[in-house]
Amino acid sequence: MTIQFPAPALFAHHGGFGINFNPFETNLINLVIVIGVLVWFLRGFLGGMLERRRESILADLSDAENRLSSATAELERAQSDLAAAQHKAESIRRDGVARAAAVREESEKRTIEEMARLKEDAVADLNSEAARVSDLLRREAARQAIERALASLPSKLDDAAQTRLIDQSIRNLGND
């Protein structure tokens, strides 16, 4: 038995289009059953898949947050190490500059001391040479004076003067 409504017949006459409300002819019942069965079976299957996917995404997010916090901690530690290394490098540079200045000052001091010692040695050598030359000149002058005196002595000394001179020399030797 088909129930016909005036509206479908109306729509069918005016352009070949109509709506069939008969559930048996349209397979409406079969579609409802198939859709219901699909929803009932797929709810657990799709729900499980979606839940596993959700848990996987949450685990990935948690892992990413953990890696971010770990990377942040590593970055802070690396920045701290960098600051310490820069401080140590600056300290080493300052120590190097101070050591170079101390070495330069010590070198200058040793150079000045060496120059003073060389000057003292030169003055001592000069004084020694001057004393040697002076002594040589005195000896030469004394030798020449003795030669002149000996040359002129025989003509100026008679026997009495010679005796007085010898006696006076003997007395002088006795007083020393």
Side-chain angles (χ1 to χ4, degrees):
M1 169 168 190
T2 311
I3 302 175
Q4 288 194 0
F5 296 102
L10 182 71
F11 289 122
H13 292 290
H14 290 301
F17 177 79
I19 297 177
N20 188 358
F21 288 103
N22 186 352
F24 294 112
E25 287 181 10
T26 58
N27 277 333
L28 190 59
I29 295 175
N30 290 338
L31 287 174
V32 169
I33 291 173
V34 169
I35 291 173
V37 169
L38 284 174
V39 168
W40 186 70
F41 280 118
L42 293 178
R43 182 183 314 165
F45 178 70
L46 287 177
M49 279 180 44
L50 291 175
E51 184 62 30
R52 283 192 303 274
R53 182 67 182 148
R54 181 179 166 273
E55 289 174 2
S56 172
I57 290 171
L58 288 176
D60 288 346
L61 285 175
S62 175
D63 184 46
E65 287 176 354
N66 289 340
R67 285 185 292 165
L68 175 63
S69 64
S70 169
T72 303
E74 287 292 325
L75 176 63
E76 289 174 359
R77 185 169 53 243
Q79 287 174 340
S80 172
D81 290 348
L82 175 63
Q86 286 174 338
H87 179 70
K88 186 168 185 164
E90 181 62 27
S91 174
I92 289 171
R93 187 193 65 78
R94 281 194 310 264
D95 289 348
V97 167
R99 185 174 294 173
V103 166
R104 186 185 75 240
E105 185 177 316
E106 180 66 25
S107 176
E108 288 173 355
K109 182 179 175 184
R110 276 188 276 155
T111 301
I112 290 171
E113 289 173 354
E114 186 65 21
M115 289 173 62
R117 187 186 63 75
L118 289 173
K119 185 177 179 181
E120 288 173 1
D121 288 349
V123 167
D125 287 347
L126 183 63
N127 289 341
S128 172
E129 188 63 23
R132 187 186 68 78
V133 168
S134 176
D135 187 45
L136 186 64
L137 288 175
R138 268 196 307 261
R139 284 183 188 175
E140 185 62 28
R143 187 187 61 77
Q144 286 178 1
I146 290 173
E147 282 179 5
R148 268 192 251 137
L150 287 177
S152 67
L153 194 62
S155 64
K156 292 184 181 179
L157 278 179
D158 57 354
D159 287 334
Q162 202 173 8
T163 305
R164 274 193 319 251
L165 182 63
I166 291 173
D167 288 340
Q168 185 181 6
S169 294
I170 290 174
R171 275 192 302 240
N172 285 342
L173 286 176
N175 289 336
D176 285 338

